[in-house]
Amino acid sequence: MKYLVAQEIKSETKVGKQIYLFDFYFLIIYMSVSLVLGNAVHSSLQVPFYIYSFLMALILTSKSYYNKKRRNYASIALMFQKDLQVYETALNVSRQKEREAEQEDLFEMRFEEKREPDKREKKGRLKKSVADLLPVVGYDQDAGCYRLKNGKVLDLIQINSKDLVNSSGDEVEYDCMKFAKLYKMYENDLKLVVLNFPCNTVVQQGYLQRKLEKTSNPIYQRFLQRKVDELVWLDKHNTTREFYYMLFAKDPIELDKLRGVIKTVLHTGKDGLLIEMSDEKKHQVFYRLNNKNSMAV
């Protein structure tokens, strides 16, 4: 046996799908009063008056935004009855949330419509490779320089760094004057590159290990072992900072002239401020410039 339980005992009678019986009678009475009062309106304004009356009847009988169980005319009546300094309108939170959700859905639909063409465009594009991003085309071994995409060339020259703490003041001032002279004589673009490399002490460690194996003096052994431990620690934790000049020129001939200017002013060799770089060293520097997270020497 099936039992049916009434879910609602207070329901309004409907004339149609959206029109209640009360609203239907309200419209008839309101329009009847409007027809009677229409005789007092000028003949040229009677039609607009009837249209306005019909629209006002629909607005007054529609559900209130602040109270779904009441109509607008009831809300207006309560507004005139209550003290506005004590009572204030409470927003319909549920309806407000519904409208916000509808607006969010509409925004997402529009955003998806705008984003779909972008996806189609991105699918047709190909990602750029490293060769497309880097300006360097290759290395010219004969000229000892790198060739760029725009047809120009560039080269690297290492600066011989010195211990400024233990150097004399005159020597430091003399070196500063050399750099100042270079910047006055050199007219082309000149870029200073500074890189940190891991401190490589493998050669020194090998030399001390051989000395440690040959000696039988315990004092020397303890002293040499301490030096080896220091080199091992430096190899793991310390870094070497190196400085380079990056030269730019139109062609290898102009690059040779620029090299000559720099070498004439700063000099190379034991007491010079420049160090000749091999091709392998230049490649290591360029590798570090384009791979900043790499710790390779």
Side-chain angles (χ1 to χ4, degrees):
M1 186 176 181
K2 188 176 182 180
Y3 297 93
L4 299 176
V5 180
Q7 300 293 332
E8 186 179 0
I9 59 176
K10 293 183 179 180
S11 59
E12 298 181 86
T13 305
K14 287 185 177 182
V15 178
K17 293 183 178 181
Q18 300 294 335
I19 302 175
Y20 292 93
L21 183 62
F22 178 84
D23 299 335
F24 180 72
Y25 286 138
F26 184 88
L27 288 172
I28 293 176
I29 296 172
Y30 192 93
M31 292 306 299
S32 299
V33 175
S34 298
L35 290 173
V36 175
L37 297 176
N39 297 325
V41 180
H42 194 272
S43 59
S44 61
L45 299 176
Q46 285 183 353
V47 175
F49 174 74
Y50 295 144
I51 295 173
Y52 171 78
S53 299
F54 180 74
L55 294 176
M56 288 300 300
L58 291 177
I59 294 172
L60 291 174
T61 54
S62 61
K63 296 291 184 179
S64 175
Y65 174 75
Y66 302 103
N67 193 343
K68 289 185 177 181
K69 294 183 179 180
R70 295 184 182 275
R71 290 173 173 80
N72 285 328
Y73 73 87
S75 297
I76 295 172
L78 289 173
M79 182 182 68
F80 287 112
Q81 292 176 6
K82 303 297 180 181
D83 188 359
L84 297 180
Q85 295 182 355
V86 178
Y87 299 95
E88 62 180 7
T89 304
L91 293 176
N92 190 341
V93 179
S94 60
R95 190 166 183 180
Q96 186 178 6
K97 289 182 178 179
E98 291 177 0
R99 290 191 175 184
E100 290 177 355
E102 292 176 358
Q103 291 178 357
E104 290 179 359
D105 295 339
L106 182 61
F107 175 77
E108 289 179 359
M109 290 175 62
R110 292 178 179 177
F111 182 74
E112 290 292 337
E113 290 177 357
K114 292 180 179 180
R115 193 171 59 179
E116 283 180 0
D118 298 337
K119 288 183 178 179
R120 294 172 184 173
E121 291 178 1
K122 289 181 180 179
K123 287 181 180 179
R125 297 176 183 175
L126 296 176
K127 293 183 178 180
K128 293 185 178 180
S129 61
V130 178
D132 297 330
L133 298 175
L134 295 180
V136 179
V137 177
Y139 185 75
D140 189 350
Q141 293 184 354
D142 297 332
C145 61
Y146 291 92
R147 293 193 176 274
L148 305 179
K149 292 181 179 179
N150 56 5
K152 297 183 179 181
V153 295
L154 69 85
D155 193 18
L156 292 169
I157 297 179
Q158 185 174 352
I159 301 174
N160 185 18
S161 56
K162 295 184 177 181
D163 186 3
L164 300 179
V165 177
N166 298 322
S167 300
S168 62
D170 295 337
E171 185 179 357
V172 174
E173 186 177 359
Y174 180 65
D175 292 338
C176 291
M177 292 176 63
K178 285 184 177 179
F179 283 109
K181 182 180 179 181
L182 172 67
Y183 297 143
K184 289 181 179 180
M185 295 179 60
Y186 197 89
E187 298 180 354
N188 288 45
D189 295 335
L190 188 66
K191 182 177 181 180
L192 180 64
V193 180
V194 184
L195 291 177
N196 289 334
F197 284 93
C199 185
N200 190 355
T201 61
V202 176
V203 179
Q204 292 85 345
Q205 292 180 36
Y207 174 77
L208 293 178
Q209 286 289 349
R210 290 193 297 270
K211 290 292 184 180
L212 185 61
E213 293 173 357
K214 292 179 180 180
T215 184
S216 59
N217 191 333
I219 298 176
Y220 287 167
Q221 288 179 355
R222 187 168 61 253
F223 176 77
L224 292 172
Q225 186 61 46
R226 185 185 302 172
K227 289 295 184 181
V228 171
D229 295 339
E230 290 178 358
L231 292 175
V232 171
W233 187 90
L234 290 174
D235 195 22
K236 291 182 179 179
H237 301 90
N238 197 18
T239 57
T240 302
R241 179 167 293 181
E242 296 182 355
F243 303 84
Y244 310 92
Y245 275 136
M246 186 176 288
L247 289 65
F248 301 90
K250 296 180 180 179
D251 49 37
I253 299 175
E254 185 182 8
L255 184 62
D256 289 336
K257 294 180 181 179
L258 298 177
R259 287 173 182 163
V261 173
I262 294 178
K263 291 180 180 180
T264 303
V265 178
L266 300 182
H267 305 291
T268 58
K270 184 178 180 181
D271 297 329
L273 295 175
L274 298 178
I275 300 176
E276 293 287 349
M277 295 180 63
S278 62
D279 295 345
E280 183 180 358
K281 181 66 175 180
K282 294 178 182 179
H283 299 337
Q284 291 176 0
V285 174
F286 263 96
Y287 180 83
R288 284 299 307 275
L289 287 174
N290 298 288
N291 299 273
K292 299 299 179 63
N293 294 330
S294 175
M295 292 298 294
V297 181

